[in-house]
């Protein structure tokens, strides 16, 4: 039954992505010449990605702290990275940003092509020149009014724990003089493990948007210290989320009568 559901879901993704890419292309053709940030296309992409989590009852999502995202602000957004599912879930914020993603993802038919249309930012792992180009593209993107979203671990976690952070995201924030918006995601490790595209039972997922860190609070801070502090912040919040989920009492299925 699990394999059947996985195949059915993947088939729906393939069919719907074909149709939705046509819609994305139409929006891009209609708006790229006046919507310089491609905000409408990104919002459509948020809908596209969110569709798959909305229809999947095994992935109930709770978002906490959405009010910490200021609509008029430009951020370097950072989060831990547990699974490919993280990307689908963060689209549910419907906040405006550009993903920073490995270049190979842009080659995936339909989904990768849509990332290219959106002006998301690619990087080739292990290529220093690509890293320098990514940093410059992020700087330009921020100056044009779009936030950038990065996973400072650089890749998905093997065990759900927060791996050491690379400093690139925080260097960008310091040079661009923009606030950092830290976020935490929990529950996707088991919902969609690394190197898997299958359905793995019901796994509640939780996103917590933490308060932003204004530029003034880290402007003069050594980069290594800033990187360690944000790693500790996100790792601590993840531990708290997962502990809360582990020990959350099971609700009494019998409804209470009037008091």
């Amino acid at each position: 039954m699990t394999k059947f559901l996985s195949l059915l879901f993947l088939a729906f993704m393939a069919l719907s992505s074909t149709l939705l890419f046509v819609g994305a292309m139409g929006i891009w053709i209609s708006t790229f010449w006046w919507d310089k940030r491609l905000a409408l296309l990104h919002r459509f992409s948020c809908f596209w990605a969110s569709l798959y989590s909305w229809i999947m009852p095994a992935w109930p999502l709770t978002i906490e702290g959405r009010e910490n995202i200021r609509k008029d602000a430009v951020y370097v957004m950072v989060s831990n990275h547990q699974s490919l599912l993280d990307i689908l879930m963060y689209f549910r914020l419907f906040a405006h940003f550009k993903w920073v993603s490995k270049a190979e993802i842009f080659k995936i038919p339909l989904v990768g092509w849509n990332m290219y249309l959106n002006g998301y930012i690619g990087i080739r792992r292990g290529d220093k020149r690509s890293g320098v180009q990514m940093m410059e593209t992020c700087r330009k993107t921020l100056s044009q009014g779009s936030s950038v979203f990065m996973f400072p671990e650089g890749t998905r976690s093997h065990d759900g724990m927060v791996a050491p952070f690379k400093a690139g995201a925080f260097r960008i924030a310091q040079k661009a003089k923009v606030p950092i918006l830290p976020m935490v995601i929990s529950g996707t490790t088991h919902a969609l493990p690394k190197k898997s595209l299958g359905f793995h039972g019901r796994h509640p997922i939780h996103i917590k948007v933490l308060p932003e860190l204004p530029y003034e609070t880290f402007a003069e801070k050594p980069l290594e210290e800033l990187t360690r502090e944000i790693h500790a912040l996100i790792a601590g919040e993840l531990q708290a989320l997962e502990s809360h989920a582990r020990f959350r009492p099971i609700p009494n299925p019998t409804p209470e009568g009037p008091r």
Side-chain angles (χ1 to χ4, degrees):
M1 188 63 178
T2 299
K3 290 184 178 179
F4 173 75
L5 288 173
S6 297
L7 290 172
L8 187 63
F9 183 70
L10 291 172
F12 173 75
M13 286 187 70
L15 177 59
S16 59
S17 291
T18 302
L19 298 174
L20 289 165
F21 179 74
V22 174
M25 179 66 78
I27 292 172
W28 182 82
I29 291 172
S30 303
T31 64
F32 80 94
W33 51 278
W34 60 267
D35 183 7
K36 299 304 181 182
R37 297 191 306 148
L38 299 172
L40 290 177
L41 179 58
H42 174 76
R43 196 156 186 87
F44 178 80
S45 299
C46 289
F47 165 78
W48 178 349
S50 297
L51 177 64
Y52 304 125
S53 60
W54 285 333
I55 68 168
M56 176 55 77
W59 298 338
L61 174 65
T62 300
I63 299 176
E64 180 182 355
R66 191 192 293 269
E67 67 278 3
N68 289 325
I69 306 175
R70 291 187 289 120
K71 291 183 179 180
D72 60 342
V74 176
Y75 299 109
V76 171
M77 300 174 164
V78 293
S79 170
N80 61 308
H81 196 12
Q82 295 188 331
S83 164
L84 277 175
L85 195 53
D86 299 345
I87 297 171
L88 286 183
M89 293 301 170
Y90 273 122
F91 271 118
R92 288 276 295 272
L93 294 173
F94 281 84
H96 183 71
F97 57 79
K98 304 291 185 183
W99 287 107
V100 176
S101 176
K102 61 181 181 180
E104 292 82 358
I105 301 296
F106 289 77
K107 298 177 182 179
I108 298 175
L110 304 174
V111 172
W113 301 342
N114 183 57
M115 291 179 67
Y116 179 79
L117 288 182
N118 271 277
Y120 297 155
I121 302 162
I123 180 172
R124 293 185 296 275
R125 288 180 184 168
D127 186 330
K128 291 184 178 180
R129 182 177 298 179
S130 177
V132 171
Q133 184 177 4
M134 179 273 293
M135 298 278 284
E136 178 61 19
T137 303
C138 284
R139 187 194 65 77
K140 289 181 180 178
T141 298
L142 292 164
S143 69
Q144 292 166 356
S146 296
S147 298
V148 296
F149 197 125
M150 305 179 72
F151 294 112
E153 291 164 277
T155 187
R156 288 164 283 162
S157 171
H158 291 280
D159 55 8
M161 303 291 287
V162 185
F165 281 176
K166 295 176 170 58
F170 314 112
R171 180 180 290 112
I172 291 168
Q174 284 187 325
K175 290 192 173 183
K177 300 182 179 181
V178 299
I180 295 169
L181 188 66
M183 289 179 272
V184 186
I185 189 165
S186 171
T188 55
T189 299
H190 301 295
L192 192 66
K194 197 169 185 176
K195 298 182 180 179
S196 171
L197 289 176
F199 170 74
H200 296 271
R202 188 176 187 277
H203 294 281
I205 297 166
H206 195 120
I207 287 174
K208 184 172 183 179
V209 182
L210 305 177
E212 68 179 75
L213 304 176
Y215 167 70
E216 294 75 18
T217 64
F218 60 83
E220 303 298 328
K221 189 166 290 188
L223 186 59
E224 290 185 3
E225 180 182 346
L226 176 61
T227 303
R228 287 195 303 269
E229 286 184 0
I230 297 180
H231 178 275
L233 173 65
I234 290 177
E237 291 287 346
L238 176 63
Q239 184 177 21
L241 282 177
E242 295 190 339
S243 296
H244 179 72
R246 191 177 302 117
F247 297 110
R248 184 183 299 125
I250 299 174
N252 186 347
T254 304
E256 297 181 357
R259 296 183 179 180

